[in-house]
Amino acid sequence: MKFATKAIHAGQEPDPTTGAIMTPIYQTSTYVQESPGKHKGYAYARGKNPTRVALEKCIASLENAKHGLCFSSGMGASDAIIRLLRPGDEVIATDDLYGGSYRMFEKMFTPFGIKFRYVDMTNAASIAQHINEKTKMLWVETPTNPLMKIIDIAACAKIAKEKKIMLVVDNTFASPFLQNPLELGADIVMHSVTKYLGGHSDVIMGATCTNNDSIQEQLAFTLNACGANPGPMDCFFVLRGIKTLHIRMERHCYNGRVIAEFLKQHPKVDKVYWPGFPDHANHEIAKKQMKDFGGMISFTTKGNSMEEAFRVASAVKVFSLAESLGGVESLLGHPASMTHASIPKAEREKSGVVDSLLRLSVGIEDVDDLVADLKQALG
Ligand SMILES: Cc1ncc(COP(=O)(O)O)c(C=O)c1O
């Protein structure tokens, strides 16, 4: 089946008892057993829930994956992935990383003896020099947050295969509509489902997808053992959200293009980060591995002042000043003080997250209203 059909149908069958076309919300904590151990495949809802199973199958199918698993948040999914490692292991992660991932790596796992190194992965060939015998995982985000750098997934997969280490791709920014990392050779894809998959800013959730049975088994064990499982109501909301993922993504991409081009010619704007520009450093790789360029854009203003960034952030009326991304409504964020505040100033500035940087999650409103809003806010 093609993407749009899978988005609407994958993992979902009419309810066998009533014929209900929508997967019921199995709001239950446990399941009655006929005799000890004799049940219908469901014993306790931390381990498995039918609404969640439908969603896991749906997300796996969008990533062309054999297995999917849903977690109570994107961080819950990432946490389970890092728990595949052991003390002494090392991870090489992209230097332009979601701040929450950096915080978890540094504050939660470094004290347990896992070492993280942050490197610029935009030239994939340079990654190999950082790999040693302790390296067990490459952690890639592409497009990166917030600078929209593009990392060549297939090239990373080649290195990971040669060195026999795992490649994890955080596919939150692209969504499975734009990019399927497993097909490019990744071992695990993770999503903050909270974003494009959910799409309506009403659910926190995470997911992993893999083709590897052993990885799936270990992740499912962690999910059940540690308990970062999402509730069935949230799974229902995401199943519903995904039904329009393809239509939403087309509009996000269209609006994103118009806004990126508007910002590029604005006299007060300095740099615009969007992988669709032919002069973007890795535009050719973006073209190769993504279907389109998405609705995430970052920009700086001339003079690089925090005050000016705060002024613009407070002046928008259709865009809302808020963390998060990927919903139908347009959001604007100030990474240095919001999503990336947990990264030390020197560290974040080294990777380009300067004081005037603003990040847009372009929604699916009428693009004329979005352009007019930015125009009045920039002044
Ligand atoms: C790229 C990326 N990865 C992971 C996460 C974490 O996901 P969640 O907020 O669902 O825990 C986020 C959240 O903003 C994100 O942007």
Side-chain angles (χ1 to χ4, degrees):
M1 281 194 288
K2 297 254 171 76
F3 192 92
T5 316
K6 293 195 287 190
I8 293 167
H9 295 289
Q12 297 151 80
E13 299 288 345
D15 175 44
T17 51
T18 63
I21 194 163
M22 288 301 144
T23 305
I25 303 163
Y26 285 90
Q27 194 74 47
T28 188
S29 61
T30 192
Y31 310 86
V32 176
Q33 309 193 6
E34 245 177 74
S35 59
K38 191 165 178 215
H39 53 69
K40 298 178 167 60
Y42 295 91
Y44 186 62
R46 178 171 7 90
K48 228 165 135 189
N49 175 288
T51 320
R52 196 181 99 204
V53 169
L55 176 60
E56 288 170 344
K57 286 186 178 160
C58 183
I59 294 176
S61 128
L62 298 181
E63 284 290 7
N64 296 322
K66 189 167 172 196
H67 306 289
L69 267 184
C70 288
F71 293 79
S72 54
S73 66
M75 293 320 300
S78 300
D79 173 68
I81 294 170
I82 301 298
R83 284 171 197 259
L84 295 168
L85 305 175
R86 290 294 168 259
D89 289 349
E90 293 190 7
V91 179
I92 295 177
T94 172
D95 61 349
D96 184 20
L97 184 73
Y98 169 57
S101 303
Y102 176 85
R103 178 176 58 192
M104 186 182 75
F105 294 167
E106 291 301 307
K107 304 283 185 209
M108 303 307 297
F109 284 106
T110 302
F112 284 96
I114 298 174
K115 192 168 164 194
F116 297 86
R117 280 190 292 145
Y118 304 93
V119 309
D120 180 0
M121 294 185 172
T122 48
N123 174 13
S126 69
I127 298 172
Q129 77 198 31
H130 300 281
I131 297 176
N132 61 40
E133 70 287 354
K134 292 184 180 157
T135 311
K136 296 284 155 44
M137 186 181 277
L138 295 184
W139 187 282
V140 168
E141 234 183 84
T142 181
T144 65
N145 181 11
L147 291 171
M148 312 307 150
K149 290 186 195 168
I150 298 292
I151 295 166
D152 188 335
I153 299 173
C156 290
K158 192 162 170 278
I159 295 165
K161 293 261 162 350
E162 271 165 25
K163 303 282 182 185
K164 298 194 171 45
I165 60 177
M166 268 181 279
L167 171 62
V168 180
V169 177
D170 180 338
N171 204 24
T172 300
F173 266 42
S175 91
F177 178 77
L178 294 180
Q179 171 176 288
N180 295 122
L182 296 180
E183 300 213 315
L184 299 168
D187 299 287
I188 305 175
V189 171
M190 72 81 39
H191 280 283
S192 169
V193 173
T194 313
K195 313 292 162 27
Y196 287 108
L197 285 164
H200 295 76
S201 309
D202 49 10
V203 169
I204 296 283
M205 196 187 289
T208 57
C209 293
T210 183
N211 291 324
N212 182 307
D213 296 344
S214 159
I215 289 175
Q216 172 69 6
E217 200 181 304
Q218 293 174 72
L219 292 172
F221 183 86
T222 303
L223 177 55
N224 185 42
C226 297
N229 56 297
M233 178 77 94
D234 283 355
C235 293
F236 173 85
F237 279 138
V238 175
L239 276 169
R240 185 166 68 170
I242 285 177
K243 287 182 194 294
T244 54
L245 178 63
H246 48 297
I247 306 283
R248 287 187 280 111
M249 288 310 297
E250 278 168 10
R251 183 59 80 90
H252 283 299
C253 291
Y254 172 77
N255 285 0
R257 176 181 296 278
V258 173
I259 287 177
E261 277 161 8
F262 160 75
L263 288 171
K264 196 159 197 186
Q265 55 72 48
H266 196 284
K268 289 197 175 163
V269 170
D270 187 9
K271 294 196 178 85
V272 184
Y273 299 95
W274 180 67
F277 290 131
D279 61 357
H280 179 284
N282 274 345
H283 176 67
E284 289 309 316
I285 295 166
K287 263 195 348 201
K288 189 180 69 171
Q289 70 187 19
M290 299 172 75
K291 257 207 212 91
D292 204 337
F293 304 109
M296 296 301 300
I297 302 167
S298 292
F299 67 97
T300 57
T301 43
K302 287 187 181 144
N304 188 28
S305 111
M306 174 91 84
E307 291 68 39
E308 175 64 359
F310 274 33
R311 191 197 64 70
V312 174
S314 308
V316 286
K317 296 193 170 73
V318 183
F319 279 83
S320 299
L321 175 61
E323 293 198 7
S324 203
L325 61 114
V328 291
E329 56 285 301
S330 293
L331 301 183
L332 175 147
H334 180 247
S337 67
M338 294 165 78
T339 44
H340 289 60
S342 52
I343 302 181
K345 185 174 160 78
E347 188 85 27
R348 69 168 163 78
E349 290 205 328
K350 245 198 290 166
S351 64
V353 184
V354 297
D355 285 348
S356 77
L357 187 79
L358 290 168
R359 189 191 78 180
L360 304 178
S361 169
V362 178
I364 63 170
E365 300 95 336
D366 192 298
V367 76
D368 292 348
D369 292 328
L370 298 178
V371 169
D373 192 33
L374 291 171
K375 205 182 259 178
Q376 67 77 26
L378 283 162

